[in-house]
Amino acid sequence: MPDDYTPATIADVRRLRDTLDQQGKKLVFTNGCFDLLHAGHVRYLEQARALGDAMVVALNSDQSVRLLKGPERPLNPENDRAEVMSALRAVDAVVVFDDERATSLIEAIRPHVYAKGGDYTVESLNREERTALEAAGTQISILPLVPGRSTTRTINKMQSSESAPAGNGLLRLAVLGSGAGSNLRAIIAAIADKKLNAEIAIALTDQAESSFREIARAAGVPALFVDGGSNPRRLSDAAQKEIFEHLERARVDVVVLAGFMRILKEPVISAYAGRIVNVHPSLLPKFKGANAPQLAIDEGELETGCTVHLVTAEIDAGRILAQAKVRVNMGDTAESLHARIKVEEHKLLPQVLNEWRERGLPVRGAGAP
Ligand code: GRF
């Protein structure tokens, strides 16, 4: 095996295209930097390859990656990137190109299918590239990005010594809430009292004017507002994306839902799977959803409590991390009971988070049934 891998030439790829063409088959073309391959790339490339019978990947040269991504990139030189890329099942040939755009390659290769990933639409493709594709009669396919996988995210993680939950650094939290913010206050207090070795990277709310936001501001925590849209229990797609971007920018380790009233979905749920916790005012699986203290009273329970659990796509159903019990007193109203449950929440939630930092993801906490 030769020491140095040599990428294909444009003439090689053009020959491949012509051979396929004669056989009534299709060549797929895609391009990008592919600096640090991750599962999102692999899935995207598999999908792209399935659009035809062979695929060529045009890799941006080191010089063009620097122009596109800045002087720190690429992490891996073009020949290494080409060699790794060519080893993938979906990839039949790799060419390296120097321009920021793939226009001249498209003109030279005239692929049957052009695949592009991500947030692009056919309309938002670069105009020159689009004109070249149209002139070559190439079919354009936009494929969805795999949520939560990105090279930038991996680089951020590696650069931040604080990002490893079980490491020596501080656990970086995002706390999301919609209302009173007493759990946020408890987390802030636990950090100040050194009972929780963490820092709140961001507090995020869907209520522009809320006690939650005031508490964050007063503690000097970045207090972000995201407009969730008209349905008070749901988040618009734009808001889901905005929240994801805030979390990514803040390089958050754990997302804490503390009275956040809207349902979090993709891309956050997948990207932060196993790292989103919620505090709920009942002993789950009993009394899911809203009004849990009232439901406990209505059911004549002698005991209820609170649960800290992982968040999954199913509401209040993720793995239970810790629970604390609270007695239901004669004459309790939903308010009086909820107030006593919150006292327990304020102890339990910081404890779970601290355990997370010390030992990684906690296994069922003390008091769990
Ligand atoms: C808490 O009782 C929590 O269990 C529920 O919402 C409430 C939030 O209270 N999910 P606060 O805003 O932290 O005071």
Side-chain angles (χ1 to χ4, degrees):
M1 197 183 274
D3 281 350
D4 275 331
Y5 169 83
T6 316
T9 63
I10 295 176
D12 296 333
V13 177
R14 181 58 201 239
R15 265 196 300 278
L16 172 64
R17 182 255 179 225
D18 289 344
T19 309
L20 289 166
D21 199 57
Q22 280 158 19
Q23 298 168 349
K25 293 181 174 171
K26 287 181 183 172
L27 177 68
V28 182
F29 176 101
T30 191
N31 60 290
C33 302
F34 298 101
D35 196 4
L36 205 56
L37 277 190
H38 52 72
H41 289 138
V42 175
R43 278 185 230 165
Y44 164 76
L45 291 166
E46 291 277 345
Q47 280 182 46
R49 171 67 175 73
L51 299 170
D53 303 284
M55 182 163 74
V56 57
V57 178
L59 272 185
N60 289 82
S61 70
D62 292 349
Q63 178 194 312
S64 72
V65 176
R66 271 192 291 278
L67 286 174
L68 288 165
K69 307 262 179 189
E72 313 280 286
R73 303 280 294 277
L75 300 173
N76 290 301
E78 60 198 38
N79 263 29
D80 287 14
R81 287 185 284 124
E83 185 170 356
V84 171
M85 176 62 72
S86 70
L88 296 183
R89 181 174 53 196
V91 177
D92 298 273
V94 180
V95 284
V96 176
F97 70 108
D98 246 337
D99 303 333
E100 276 177 75
R101 306 271 157 227
T103 317
S104 54
L105 268 183
I106 293 163
E107 285 165 353
I109 297 171
R110 302 174 63 81
H112 301 93
V113 181
Y114 176 78
K116 187 90 191 165
D119 296 340
Y120 286 90
T121 61
V122 174
E123 290 68 38
S124 66
L125 281 181
N126 172 267
R127 207 155 53 91
E128 274 176 31
E129 275 181 8
R130 198 172 148 197
T131 310
L133 290 164
E134 280 163 4
T138 304
Q139 168 200 329
I140 303 172
S141 272
I142 308 291
L143 300 172
L145 275 187
V146 180
R149 308 299 201 290
S150 93
T151 300
T152 309
R153 183 187 163 92
T154 308
I155 293 171
N156 280 346
K157 254 184 163 176
M158 290 168 81
Q159 282 175 341
S160 165
S161 60
E162 294 168 355
S163 70
N168 296 326
L170 299 173
L171 195 69
R172 283 176 73 80
L173 306 177
V175 184
L176 275 60
S178 307
S182 68
N183 279 286
L184 171 65
R185 188 187 279 119
I187 294 171
I188 292 169
I191 292 173
D193 294 348
K194 307 225 177 307
K195 290 183 183 151
L196 169 56
N197 282 313
E199 64 183 325
I200 305 178
I202 48 170
L204 193 151
T205 180
D206 58 332
Q207 301 300 320
E209 302 305 324
S210 56
S211 161
F212 178 92
R213 201 168 184 202
E214 284 311 313
I215 291 167
R217 280 200 187 115
V221 171
L224 309 173
F225 164 69
V226 170
D227 181 350
S230 53
N231 185 328
R233 286 295 149 93
R234 313 224 164 247
L235 286 165
S236 65
D237 288 350
Q240 301 276 7
K241 194 159 173 260
E242 201 183 330
I243 292 175
F244 173 69
E245 280 160 7
H246 280 309
L247 299 176
E248 291 289 282
R249 263 197 295 276
R251 290 183 286 115
V252 159
D253 297 318
V254 178
V255 180
V256 183
L257 305 186
F260 190 62
M261 297 311 288
R262 299 188 191 233
I263 301 166
L264 210 50
K265 290 192 177 158
E266 299 299 356
V268 174
I269 290 285
S270 296
Y272 290 83
R275 297 191 291 139
I276 313 173
V277 294
N278 180 44
V279 56
H280 181 78
S282 80
L283 296 174
L284 289 172
K286 278 190 172 174
F287 312 128
K288 295 180 179 179
N291 306 324
Q294 183 64 57
L295 293 175
I297 294 171
D298 294 347
E299 287 296 313
E301 298 284 323
L302 298 176
E303 193 173 65
T304 182
C306 56
T307 303
V308 178
H309 65 97
L310 290 180
V311 172
T312 58
E314 201 185 329
I315 295 172
D316 295 335
R319 187 173 132 200
I320 292 173
L321 302 178
Q323 293 185 310
K325 293 175 181 172
V326 173
R327 268 213 1 232
V328 182
N329 293 339
M330 290 281 288
D332 250 339
T333 61
E335 289 70 35
S336 63
L337 179 57
H338 198 173
R340 289 205 311 288
I341 294 173
K342 280 195 180 188
V343 172
E344 294 306 317
E345 291 181 354
H346 300 161
K347 290 184 257 172
L348 194 67
L349 184 56
Q351 261 169 29
V352 169
L353 294 171
N354 198 49
E355 196 181 327
W356 198 310
R357 182 198 157 271
E358 306 274 311
R359 294 203 290 271
L361 181 65
V363 192
R364 288 171 97 90

